[in-house]
Amino acid sequence: MDHPELQSRPPSPLVEAVDERFAGHGVRLVLKRDDLVHPELPGNKWRKLAPNLRAALEAGHDRLVTFGGAYSNHLRATAAAGRLLGLRTVGIVRGDELAGRPLNDSLARCAADGMRLHFASRSRYRAKADPQALAALLDEAGAGGAYVVPEGGSNALALAGCAELGRELHGVTDVAAVACGTGGTLAGLAAGLAPGQRALGVPVLAGGFLSAQIRSLQTEAYGGPVGDWSLAEDFHHGGYARVPAALESFAAGFASRHGFPVERIYVAKLLWALTALTETGAFPPGTTVTAIITGRP
């Protein structure tokens, strides 16, 4: 039987957001409050992690290892999941220059939840796609034999969890929009949507690598591309974890206007992008756009 933390949960709430920046263009904005789906593993983190955690437990693993940057929501979620399930966790963090420095709030939360942190050089971290380099990195981190959850939690198992998010939006929206880090949420979301609906991803990292990554994930999970999806590039505001003053002001204003806390690294960039796209006529009048709120500050 599933651990209680891994059992199916009710669909996350849908909240209409009355906002003249959208309504003035004939666009209806709906918020999918996926940040409320689990008290400690919000939104896409629970949807992506739950299938992987279930597989780890079924295979008899008692340790997880995963990867992320210094401000990774995924690392925090994996650490919290390990605490909830009684699994030991190891986080391989990008950037060996961080070793020996005081932990930022995000990594301190990981450590408080029992995650052992290993700081890898950026070159070693980038090379982890190579199986031999990955094995050496895991050995260096003392994580050989642990269940490996990929960076961002994105793999074929994760896509199955995120497809349920798409199914929850059947008959609700024309466009389902989500911020993207590693692309797994968008890849699964698109697969779960109904014909006539489309998924829109807003990358929060610069680099233009996500299209190929999403196609690869869908091929691994489904044998080829699935669903109608596209990316809105150039809304990363300088790169991951960059929150310039204009974005900070926008997020604070949106939070005040709509009465919920806006997470800055992913959600603020998503909402900014949808506002800008609406104002430039990217969505025809009569379109319902759903912004998937994937996390909390």
Side-chain angles (χ1 to χ4, degrees), residues 236-258:
H236 52 73
H237 292 264
Y240 187 72
R242 301 284 177 85
V243 185
L247 182 62
E248 176 64 38
S249 177
F250 170 85
F254 200 100
S256 175
R257 185 185 305 231
H258 296 290

Side-chain angles (χ1 to χ4, degrees), residues 7-261:
Q7 292 175 2
S8 296
R9 293 179 171 266
S12 53
L14 287 163
V15 179
E16 182 147 8
V18 179
D19 192 310
E20 67 273 12
R21 293 170 294 186
F22 292 82
H25 295 271
V27 175
R28 177 172 173 254
L29 176 65
V30 175
L31 307 179
K32 174 73 164 162
R33 292 295 305 276
D34 227 39
D35 56 318
L36 303 178
V37 75
H38 188 288
E40 297 197 64
L41 308 176
N44 61 338
K45 301 309 174 190
W46 181 83
R47 293 184 189 273
K48 291 198 286 187
L49 275 173
N52 277 284
L53 295 167
R54 192 176 295 116
L57 291 171
E58 288 173 353
H61 287 276
D62 63 359
R63 283 191 307 157
L64 305 173
V65 59
T66 195
F67 313 85
Y71 295 93
S72 169
N73 292 331
H74 169 68
L75 283 180
R76 288 207 310 276
T78 304
R83 172 174 52 77
L84 293 169
L85 299 177
L87 295 169
R88 292 177 292 155
T89 56
V90 178
I92 297 179
V93 184
R94 181 178 61 249
D96 58 351
E97 73 275 7
L98 301 172
R101 294 184 187 175
L103 298 178
N104 64 30
D105 288 347
S106 184
L107 293 178
R109 181 69 258 170
C110 293
D113 278 335
M115 176 173 275
R116 183 167 56 79
L117 300 172
H118 174 79
F119 298 92
S121 72
R122 292 173 185 272
S123 59
R124 296 287 304 278
Y125 190 94
R126 282 194 301 271
K128 69 184 184 302
D130 174 75
Q132 199 167 7
L134 174 61
L137 183 58
L138 294 177
D139 285 344
E140 180 186 287
Y147 183 90
V148 178
V149 180
E151 183 175 13
S154 293
N155 58 10
L157 287 172
L159 265 61
C162 293
E164 182 61 29
L165 173 59
R167 288 189 285 271
E168 290 177 14
L169 291 170
H170 283 193
V172 169
T173 195
D174 301 302
V175 178
V178 67
C180 299
T182 53
T185 302
L186 179 67
L189 169 67
L193 290 173
Q197 295 179 306
R198 68 182 179 96
L200 176 65
V202 176
V204 302
L205 293 88
F209 61 90
L210 264 187
S211 288
Q213 191 158 314
I214 292 164
R215 287 193 293 269
S216 176
L217 285 166
Q218 288 196 332
T219 299
E220 178 189 357
Y222 306 114
V226 181
D228 182 1
W229 60 267
S230 61
L231 296 175
E233 306 274 8
D234 300 326
F235 293 104
H236 52 73
H237 292 264
Y240 187 72
R242 301 284 177 85
V243 185
L247 182 62
E248 176 64 38
S249 177
F250 170 85
F254 200 100
S256 175
R257 185 185 305 231
H258 296 290
F260 77 100

Side-chain angles (χ1 to χ4, degrees), residues 177-179 200-202 204 235 247 250 264-275 290-294:
V178 67
L200 176 65
V202 176
V204 302
F235 293 104
L247 182 62
F250 170 85
R264 298 320 199 236
I265 295 174
Y266 288 87
V267 176
K269 293 179 180 181
L270 167 68
L271 296 171
W272 174 295
L274 293 180
T275 304
T290 297
I292 299 168
I293 310 302
T294 51

